[in-house]
Amino acid sequence: MKPIKILLLTLVITILTLVLAVFALPEKITNPVSGATPNDWNHATFWYEPWGKSGVHKGIDIFGKKNTHVVAPVNGLVVFSGELKRGGKVVVILGAKWRIHYLAHLNSYTVSKGDIVKLNENIGLLGRTGNAVGKPPHVHYSIVSLFPLPWLATNESQGWKRMFYINPHTKLVKR
């Protein structure tokens, strides 16, 4: 084989190994609101309809006192921290199994894009920014799979999208 082909083949194998390794990593997960318990969110709000402009609620809202610490629910890479119209102040973390952990309505955040965060590391403070203005302080927590999980799809409204969303409630109560 020519050296360039060997180099390309080695690169492809390395990338595939890394991608598969992230799938194999164990997913340790914790409640992102310090001190919160399952009593601090409604267990039935994941995929609840009707829910504002998004149609269905694709996560859970974990309530607490304003400025309570919000921590990284997983080990991962911060892929976004900033402001969005509906989410307000938001932190997005890429974790194990190529899953995105979206935390919205923060009062403030202490991490930046590109930061590596560890499980339970402080990433911000609980608030009510974005479309949560005027509501009790909470964090909207969603878990999104970058790869479809077809067995999660349903016939519900927007049910095909469910193959990309994992119910945070079931992950947090299984700990």
Side-chain angles (χ1 to χ4, degrees), residues 5-84:
K5 285 185 179 180
I6 292 172
L7 181 63
L8 286 174
L9 183 59
T10 304
L11 183 62
V12 167
I13 290 170
T14 303
I15 290 170
L16 285 174
T17 302
L18 288 172
V19 167
L20 293 174
V22 174
F23 273 116
L25 288 173
E27 183 181 49
K28 292 181 182 176
I29 191 166
T30 193
N31 190 323
V33 178
S34 291
T37 71
N39 294 328
D40 295 313
W41 69 83
N42 182 328
H43 301 192
T45 58
F46 176 75
W47 223 262
Y48 182 84
E49 181 181 31
W51 200 274
K53 292 183 180 185
S54 63
V56 294
H57 195 236
K58 298 171 183 80
I60 60 172
D61 294 337
I62 305 171
F63 294 87
K65 291 184 180 179
K66 186 175 181 182
N67 293 326
T68 297
H69 286 280
V70 175
V71 300
V74 293
N75 294 314
L77 172 69
V78 176
V79 293
F80 178 82
S81 65
E83 293 204 37
L84 300 173

Side-chain angles (χ1 to χ4, degrees), residues 25-33 41 60 62 71-76 93 95-97 99-103 118-121 141-144 166-175:
L25 288 173
E27 183 181 49
K28 292 181 182 176
I29 191 166
T30 193
N31 190 323
V33 178
W41 69 83
I60 60 172
I62 305 171
V71 300
V74 293
N75 294 314
I93 301 168
K97 302 189 183 304
R99 291 182 180 163
I100 296 287
H101 297 260
Y102 173 86
L103 301 113
K118 294 185 183 207
L119 185 73
N120 283 315
E121 180 180 333
Y141 180 39
S142 290
I143 304 171
V144 183
I166 296 162
N167 186 345
H169 167 73
T170 58
K171 288 290 191 182
L172 294 175
V173 296
K174 285 183 181 177
R175 305 182 287 130

Side-chain angles (χ1 to χ4, degrees), residues 22 107 135:
V22 174
N107 194 43
K135 297 174 184 164

